[in-house]
Amino acid sequence: MRALPCLLLLSATSLAAQQPDSNTPSQPVRQLNLQPALKPPVADTGIFSPVPLPPPSPIRSADGAPGAGYWQQRADYTIKATLDTAAKRLTGTEQIRYTNHSPDSLRFVWLQLDQNLFRPGSTGSLLNAAESRFGGAGFAGGFDIGSLTQTLPTPVAAASTRRRSKGADSIRPLPPMPLKYRVDDTMMYVDLAQPLAPGATAVLDLAYGFNIPEHGADRMGRDGSLYELAQWYPRMAVYDDVHGWNTDQYLGQGEFYLEYGDIDYEVTVPAGFLVAGSGLLQNPEQVLTPTQRARLATAAKSDSTVAIVSADELATGAARPRREGTLTWRFRAERVRDVAWAASPDYRWDASSWEGTLAQAFYRDAAKDTWEDAAKMSRYSILEYSTKWFRYPYPQITAVEGPVSGMEYPMVAMEAPADDKAELYNVVTHEIGHMWYPMIVGSDERRYAWMDEGFNTFINTFSEQDYWNRDDTDTRRNEIRFVTGLDQGPTAQPILTPANRYRTNDNLGSLAYVKPSIVLLALRSKVLGAEVFDTAFREYTRRWAFRHPQPADFFRTMEEVSGRDLSWFWRGFFLTTAALDQTVESVKPARDGTALVTIRSLGAAVMPVELELGFADGTGQTVKLPVEIWYNGNRYVYRVPPGRTVVSARVNPDGLFPDVNTANDGWTAPTGTTP
């Protein structure tokens, strides 16, 4: 260390000796190029480099939790609707009480008009054919807005509105103000009558109607006399701290992003219909028979299924208080982001409960062979997810059978008839799993479908195995092959691709559902361990219950609770389509009697290594190596202690890493040779 200044001095002296003496006459001097060529700067862009997350703020903390300054808007609704089964049309009125918790004054608001997907010429109808799963119905659909007004606060003590009435002061209320609005495909821009200040509430009243599509993009619709009504009222768009107004169009494939609030709604239907909906029924005395009310009270305390309405009662007419005219069903749902309902004159109704939560099933007699177990399946799903992840906060869950193959809304899970009970359970537990993601954890499904479908598919794996007490390892291997094949194909896209931009339906299945599930399963079992992962995942759910998380909030929470830098994991499996391909390159003896096993990572993605070794004496050993072995490059040499002859070596021995090529995972000593 002391020699360094001398070296610098010598270098400086040598340079000085080459310069002309300032006292000598000027003479031509050959100019020396003393500046070496500079290398371009090297950026940290490797798989282990930090993921460029948005900077933390008082709203969203560096640890992934909501900050002290976190805010979100609130939307409460009162809705009155009538179902006209002859015209196949729904008409209604709606009052929205929209509370501005943001720090911004809002001069306008945006509403979602999802039924406009079924309007001829909608963007979604141009992208998805009418007969496709997410296509429009190809008929005269869409919302008809009859009126839109805003009720302004009555000015207190305003001289112009004060009048004497029966000896008491009173304030003449201001008349509702008609509002100007602009419909843009499935979104509606509304100019407010006056700016909505922080902390204030705007009261909007709408009258609307729409023709009910038969095939509502597989999210609602009708089948004969059965109706499944969803996206059935104009809903407030989300205004948040990340994007401001979220105005992405509803194109059929991407789902929804909504505000929380309380929703009171009533639906008037033919008297012979049974209605199942989000929330709690508020007027059972008007719409249920005394026998049905007594059975419901029994079911609310029963672990076993109780028939509330039987097939015989439907046949005899005893299932309804009356069959002529109409009946109005009233429901209230608290702390929800949406409501939906289904109605049919042919519904059987079963119910049981789990710790005070009512688990219900509504189905037609033709589906009884599988659906007679649906209430039991619903109850088990609530138990499963409540005990593993987060306690179910709502008073009931209802599975409804109908034409929709599988769709979820708060407290309502829509499923089609199934060929067998295993198929039905897979759909029931999936749709009920959505009560957690995104109904409790209110993520943006339209941008980040994986935070909804992927997280749900992940928790479904445990529910399906537990309910049937079976081993689904082969199913997981098949899912890995499906995902890795697509990632290497011409339509490959990363998980973070917005749902509306998926190039194929296979990409939807992979990027939204299967890939997030299999990589989270690998993170749980191969990287963090079940206890650490589950603690972190539960903490994410708890932190963001009834809030609006972003991907960075999930990434940061998982790292903060686990204590691990997982940049390599998010980069490899969420931000890119990087391939994981581990292989045993060679096994060679060393002079000291050890065996050198060279492992290579051929793809851009990395993972820890599980190395299964087989020895000449018939024994074996599995060595687990951390992901950090790849810090210094894509080769790593593991030294087997002396005294053991390696005859085989294999990475990924159980096939549960998302490895693109399992054919190169193993090495076997050639016959008659000793490595």
Side-chain angles (χ1 to χ4, degrees), residues 343-632:
S344 171
D346 303 317
Y347 266 151
R348 291 173 56 173
W349 180 2
D350 295 338
S352 66
S353 69
W354 176 75
E355 295 190 357
T357 299
L358 199 63
Q360 306 180 105
F362 287 73
Y363 58 97
R364 292 168 291 184
D365 200 54
K368 66 181 179 180
D369 288 345
T370 52
W371 272 81
E372 282 182 337
D373 277 358
K376 174 186 174 184
M377 294 173 176
S378 299
R379 179 186 183 276
Y380 186 87
S381 297
I382 293 294
L383 179 159
E384 165 78 17
Y385 302 132
S386 290
T387 54
K388 277 191 171 66
W389 309 113
F390 186 86
R391 175 64 188 252
Y392 186 66
Y394 298 123
Q396 62 93 1
I397 185 64
T398 299
V400 294
E401 177 261 327
V404 175
S405 65
M407 188 58 195
E408 75 287 346
Y409 302 92
M411 293 175 260
V412 171
M414 298 178 178
E415 294 93 18
D419 293 333
D420 56 56
K421 292 183 179 181
E423 176 188 338
L424 179 62
Y425 184 77
N426 289 356
V427 181
V428 166
T429 201
H430 178 81
E431 304 311 334
I432 291 179
H434 278 304
M435 300 305 117
W436 279 258
Y437 314 98
M439 300 307 160
I440 295 172
V441 181
S443 58
D444 180 353
E445 301 174 81
R446 201 157 289 176
R447 280 190 178 88
Y448 309 116
W450 59 273
M451 298 179 75
D452 153 37
E453 300 292 357
F455 290 176
N456 187 30
T457 302
F458 166 75
I459 67 173
N460 296 159
T461 60
F462 306 104
S463 177
E464 292 166 15
Q465 290 184 149
D466 294 348
Y467 186 80
W468 297 111
N469 191 26
R470 70 189 186 199
D471 182 355
D472 284 345
T473 301
D474 284 342
T475 300
R476 302 289 87 78
R477 294 188 184 108
N478 290 335
E479 290 172 345
I480 289 170
R481 284 192 288 271
F482 166 65
V483 167
T484 55
L486 283 175
D487 278 353
Q488 297 306 300
T491 64
Q493 294 173 284
I495 284 177
L496 262 71
T497 303
N500 282 334
R501 301 175 197 167
Y502 293 152
R503 296 175 185 169
T504 67
N505 280 334
D506 278 347
N507 282 21
L508 167 65
S510 175
L511 304 179
Y513 295 76
V514 183
K515 185 175 181 180
S517 176
I518 63 169
V519 298
L520 288 178
L521 287 168
L523 181 64
R524 181 180 190 265
S525 63
K526 308 295 187 181
V527 182
L528 300 180
E531 182 179 357
V532 173
F533 178 96
D534 292 355
T535 299
F537 200 70
R538 281 193 290 265
E539 179 63 11
Y540 163 75
T541 305
R542 185 197 65 80
R543 285 178 173 181
W544 291 98
F546 308 106
R547 295 182 174 93
H548 295 318
Q550 294 287 310
D553 302 316
F554 172 66
F555 296 158
R556 284 175 164 142
T557 296
M558 295 300 291
E559 292 190 352
E560 194 262 346
V561 178
S562 70
R564 299 286 295 274
D565 179 1
L566 299 173
S567 296
W568 58 271
F569 185 81
W570 314 128
R571 184 182 298 280
F573 300 106
F574 285 79
L575 277 67
T576 74
T577 60
L580 175 71
D581 187 11
Q582 298 177 349
T583 185
V584 177
E585 190 171 69
S586 65
V587 178
K588 298 178 180 179
R591 292 182 178 179
D592 60 1
T594 61
L596 305 180
V597 182
T598 301
I599 311 161
R600 188 174 179 187
S601 182
L602 299 174
V606 293
M607 268 285 190
V609 173
E610 290 183 1
L611 175 63
E612 184 182 75
L613 300 172
F615 303 110
D617 60 6
T619 62
Q621 178 187 8
T622 299
V623 178
K624 295 187 177 182
L625 304 171
V627 72
E628 287 82 4
I629 67 171
W630 306 117
Y631 275 179
N632 294 327

Side-chain angles (χ1 to χ4, degrees), residues 140-420:
F143 277 119
D144 299 315
I145 305 298
S147 63
L148 173 56
T149 62
Q150 181 178 358
T151 300
L152 298 178
T154 302
V156 177
S160 62
T161 61
R162 182 177 293 275
R163 62 184 175 86
R164 302 291 296 179
S165 175
K166 297 182 180 181
D169 288 341
S170 66
I171 302 297
R172 180 182 296 116
L174 297 175
M177 300 285 292
L179 298 180
K180 295 180 180 180
Y181 62 89
R182 180 184 77 247
V183 175
D184 179 6
D185 204 22
T186 62
M187 301 297 298
M188 181 166 71
Y189 170 98
V190 180
D191 273 318
L192 296 176
Q194 64 182 29
L196 183 62
T201 298
V203 180
L204 309 179
D205 287 276
L206 299 89
Y208 68 94
F210 65 92
N211 296 330
I212 300 169
E214 181 177 6
H215 170 61
D218 201 28
R219 305 193 189 282
M220 57 162 296
R222 51 187 168 83
D223 181 18
S225 59
L226 186 153
Y227 289 81
E228 292 178 315
L229 273 298
Q231 294 97 257
W232 59 285
Y233 58 98
R235 303 180 292 182
M236 291 300 304
V238 171
Y239 183 81
D240 64 24
D241 62 288
V242 180
H243 300 286
W245 285 107
N246 287 261
T247 57
D248 285 357
Q249 298 287 345
Y250 173 49
L251 304 180
Q253 182 164 281
E255 294 187 34
F256 312 107
Y257 186 29
L258 299 162
E259 300 289 13
Y260 287 94
D262 298 338
I263 303 179
D264 291 281
Y265 68 101
E266 62 180 53
V267 293
T268 300
V269 299
F273 280 54
L274 282 166
V275 178
S278 303
L280 278 181
L281 181 64
Q282 300 296 294
N283 62 332
E285 295 81 4
Q286 284 76 48
V287 297
L288 302 181
T289 67
T291 299
Q292 291 161 359
R293 298 199 300 271
R295 290 171 178 169
L296 268 178
T298 300
K301 300 177 182 179
S302 174
D303 294 344
S304 303
T305 300
V306 176
I308 311 302
V309 173
S310 68
D312 290 342
E313 289 167 324
L314 288 171
T316 63
R320 308 303 305 117
R322 57 185 172 85
R323 300 189 64 84
E324 301 300 324
T326 62
L327 284 175
T328 298
W329 297 62
R330 297 184 177 89
F331 295 87
R332 177 174 174 80
E334 297 179 351
R335 211 177 187 187
V336 294
R337 37 180 274 165
D338 197 6
V339 290
W341 52 282
S344 171
D346 303 317
Y347 266 151
R348 291 173 56 173
W349 180 2
D350 295 338
S352 66
S353 69
W354 176 75
E355 295 190 357
T357 299
L358 199 63
Q360 306 180 105
F362 287 73
Y363 58 97
R364 292 168 291 184
D365 200 54
K368 66 181 179 180
D369 288 345
T370 52
W371 272 81
E372 282 182 337
D373 277 358
K376 174 186 174 184
M377 294 173 176
S378 299
R379 179 186 183 276
Y380 186 87
S381 297
I382 293 294
L383 179 159
E384 165 78 17
Y385 302 132
S386 290
T387 54
K388 277 191 171 66
W389 309 113
F390 186 86
R391 175 64 188 252
Y392 186 66
Y394 298 123
Q396 62 93 1
I397 185 64
T398 299
V400 294
E401 177 261 327
V404 175
S405 65
M407 188 58 195
E408 75 287 346
Y409 302 92
M411 293 175 260
V412 171
M414 298 178 178
E415 294 93 18
D419 293 333
D420 56 56

